[in-house]
Amino acid sequence: MGVVAATAVTPDTLPPDILFERVVENLPAPELEIANTDDLPFIQVEQIRTGDTLQAIFTRLGIDDAEALNHLTASDEGKQAIRMMRADRTVTAVVSPAGKLLSLNLPMGNTAQDLVLERGDKGLALRNSTSAEQSTMVEMRSGTITHSLFGATEAAGLPDNVATQLATLFGTWIDFRSDLRKGDRFNVVYEAIYEEGNPVRAGRILAAEFINNGERYAVVRYKGPSGREQYYSDDGRSLQQGFLRTPLEFSRVSSNFGRRLHPIKGKWREHNGTDFAAPTGTPVMASSDATVDFVGKQRGFGNLIILKHRNEITTYYAHLNGFAKGLSKGQVVSQGDVIGFVGCTGWCTGPHLHYEVRIQGRPSDPMTVALPAADSFSAKELAAFKQDTAPLRQRFALLNYEFADAR
């Protein structure tokens, strides 16, 4: 083994026979042309907010251009893009110092397409364009219940659509109307879609954990033996084969199952379902995998959908404002598919969903009846499931450690 040593040598230590001469040369200053920045346009980037209008976005972008605004709102392409505006998507504009719009990229919903408005020599023109390349990141959030689920998800910075997914996933076990307790916790691992370094929307939940009244529930997304991605509990039961307690986004129960005074007939009658008060147009989902048995009008039910499930179970969805496009008898639907929309048809006094569960033709309370759970994996499949999903479930431990450390 050889060793090489290096030492620093300074001019003061050099031998005296080496002469040094300082050379100084004066260089002329470079000729610079100072640009007039008053004429340069600005590139502005702004995120769409919930409930935004195009006028509000123009204001935040510093655009004062009635012609451009009218061009968008008057054209069919512009109207479609405005209808498809989604919160958290990114709008990019090039704006002159005077506020005139030179170009605008308006995202088309959650697709990779943009509607581009440009000002050229011939005036304003519209064209379609593929938006900037998007990347998917994995993000984690956790929260603690103080008053309500959606209050806690908002405080944790969880996007609205992820919060809705969370309520749907755990709706099989937890009644978010009555089961929540102060101090309940949740952990969520989900996809976040980025565009040019900016978050534009949230994607699917990859894994989630909910501690309700001291009892732990957890789900992970996994591609099972059938090759279809589904959500499974920790012990390998598919949530897709369970039943949602509430077949629409979290809402208020306006009438429970059982005997009641009929609001129209004025007589005491059996109420064979649960009523969920919700605004007209609220999407209604299939509570489990099923075949459409009936879709149409039926007396006091108004617009009605009947789904036939396994084990001689049927579910009724009544008073609907309308049906999902193309829905027909004999069609196969999956849990969570939108089948209709809340309304007030038939005998009703306000917009709501009347939801029934019938087992072998007999009505049962949708909120309390024991519904069939999912089948488990085989021993071999369960071992593969646990091994493949271990990295996702380990993230729960990290989030719980950070929570305990914060306390």
Side-chain angles (χ1 to χ4, degrees):
M1 179 181 295
V3 178
V4 178
T7 59
V9 179
T10 63
D12 295 339
T13 63
L14 292 174
D17 56 340
I18 297 179
L19 301 178
F20 291 87
E21 181 180 356
R22 185 183 299 275
V23 177
V24 179
E25 182 177 356
N26 294 321
L27 300 176
E31 296 182 5
L32 300 176
E33 182 178 349
I34 300 177
N36 183 9
T37 57
D38 293 339
D39 297 330
L40 294 179
F42 298 93
I43 299 177
Q44 306 277 27
V45 179
E46 183 68 35
Q47 281 191 319
I48 300 173
R49 302 173 185 173
T50 301
D52 248 344
T53 63
L54 191 62
Q55 178 67 65
I57 295 172
F58 268 40
T59 300
R60 295 202 303 275
L61 289 168
I63 302 172
D64 183 14
D65 193 333
E67 182 186 5
L69 184 63
N70 291 336
H71 193 88
L72 272 172
T73 55
S75 65
D76 291 338
E77 303 98 317
K79 290 177 182 177
Q80 182 183 13
I82 293 169
R83 286 195 300 268
M84 294 177 66
M85 287 196 309
R86 297 293 183 268
D88 298 328
R89 294 303 309 270
T90 300
V91 179
T92 304
V94 180
V95 188
S96 74
K100 292 295 182 183
L101 181 66
L102 303 182
S103 73
L104 176 79
N105 284 52
L106 190 62
M108 302 285 287
N110 286 329
T111 70
Q113 295 294 317
D114 284 354
L115 180 66
V116 181
L117 176 63
E118 293 177 317
R119 175 174 266 115
D121 297 336
K122 298 182 180 180
L124 292 167
L126 289 168
R127 65 179 176 86
N128 290 319
S129 172
T130 301
S131 61
E133 184 178 352
Q134 297 180 345
S135 59
T136 302
M137 306 288 287
V138 176
E139 296 197 359
M140 302 187 297
R141 292 283 188 276
S142 62
T144 303
I145 304 296
T146 55
H147 296 93
S148 68
L149 172 64
F150 287 102
T153 57
E154 183 178 359
L158 206 62
D160 289 345
N161 72 314
V162 178
T164 300
Q165 290 180 63
L166 188 70
T168 300
L169 286 174
F170 291 103
T172 303
W173 298 298
I174 303 169
D175 181 353
F176 288 102
R177 176 180 60 93
S178 59
D179 291 345
L180 281 185
R181 298 290 184 270
K182 185 176 182 179
D184 286 354
R185 294 192 63 252
F186 60 84
N187 297 315
V188 188
V189 182
Y190 65 96
E191 294 173 329
I193 315 301
Y194 281 76
E195 186 176 285
E196 296 183 341
N198 298 307
V200 294
R201 69 181 188 277
R204 307 168 302 174
I205 287 180
L206 301 177
E209 181 182 47
F210 208 106
I211 294 89
N212 170 235
N213 199 24
E215 189 166 356
R216 176 183 177 272
Y217 305 93
V219 297
V220 292
R221 191 173 182 88
Y222 180 70
K223 183 181 290 187
S226 66
R228 179 184 177 188
E229 284 195 346
Q230 299 182 30
Y231 289 101
Y232 292 85
S233 63
D234 263 358
D235 56 359
R237 291 180 295 110
S238 171
L239 269 64
Q240 290 297 109
Q241 300 302 317
F243 280 76
L244 300 177
R245 290 293 181 190
T246 55
L248 70 169
E249 292 184 7
F250 187 73
S251 63
R252 178 177 61 87
V253 173
S254 55
S255 185
N256 288 301
F257 179 90
R259 192 168 178 79
R260 69 167 185 176
L261 184 66
H262 196 282
I264 294 178
K265 298 292 185 180
K267 298 179 180 179
W268 286 95
R269 299 181 62 176
E270 290 296 326
H271 185 233
N272 291 331
T274 299
D275 290 348
F276 297 94
T280 298
T282 299
V284 175
M285 301 174 290
S287 59
S288 187
D289 296 351
T291 301
V292 178
D293 193 48
F294 177 86
V295 53
K297 291 186 177 180
Q298 193 177 108
R299 301 183 63 193
F301 281 134
N303 290 329
L304 171 69
I305 296 171
I306 302 176
L307 299 184
K308 182 181 290 185
H309 309 270
R310 68 198 184 283
N311 299 330
E312 298 186 74
I313 297 174
T314 53
T315 52
Y316 285 57
Y317 310 79
H319 306 309
L320 300 172
N321 185 58
F323 311 113
K325 186 176 181 180
L327 192 74
S328 60
K329 180 179 173 63
Q331 182 177 337
V332 175
V333 295
S334 298
Q335 183 187 78
D337 286 351
V338 174
I339 55 175
F341 305 92
V342 169
C344 185
T345 57
W347 298 341
C348 75
T349 57
H352 71 281
L353 172 70
H354 173 84
Y355 175 57
E356 289 189 17
V357 173
R358 298 190 183 187
I359 301 176
Q360 296 180 343
R362 299 184 61 181
S364 301
D365 187 343
M367 308 307 291
T368 60
V369 64
L371 295 169
D375 297 330
S376 299
F377 285 123
S378 66
K380 183 179 179 180
E381 290 167 345
L382 182 60
F385 163 78
K386 287 188 172 293
Q387 179 179 348
D388 294 342
T389 59
L392 283 174
R393 288 182 282 112
Q394 286 169 359
R395 291 175 181 259
F396 298 151
L398 176 62
L399 289 168
N400 288 326
Y401 175 81
E402 292 178 348
F403 172 74
D405 190 53
R407 296 181 68 183

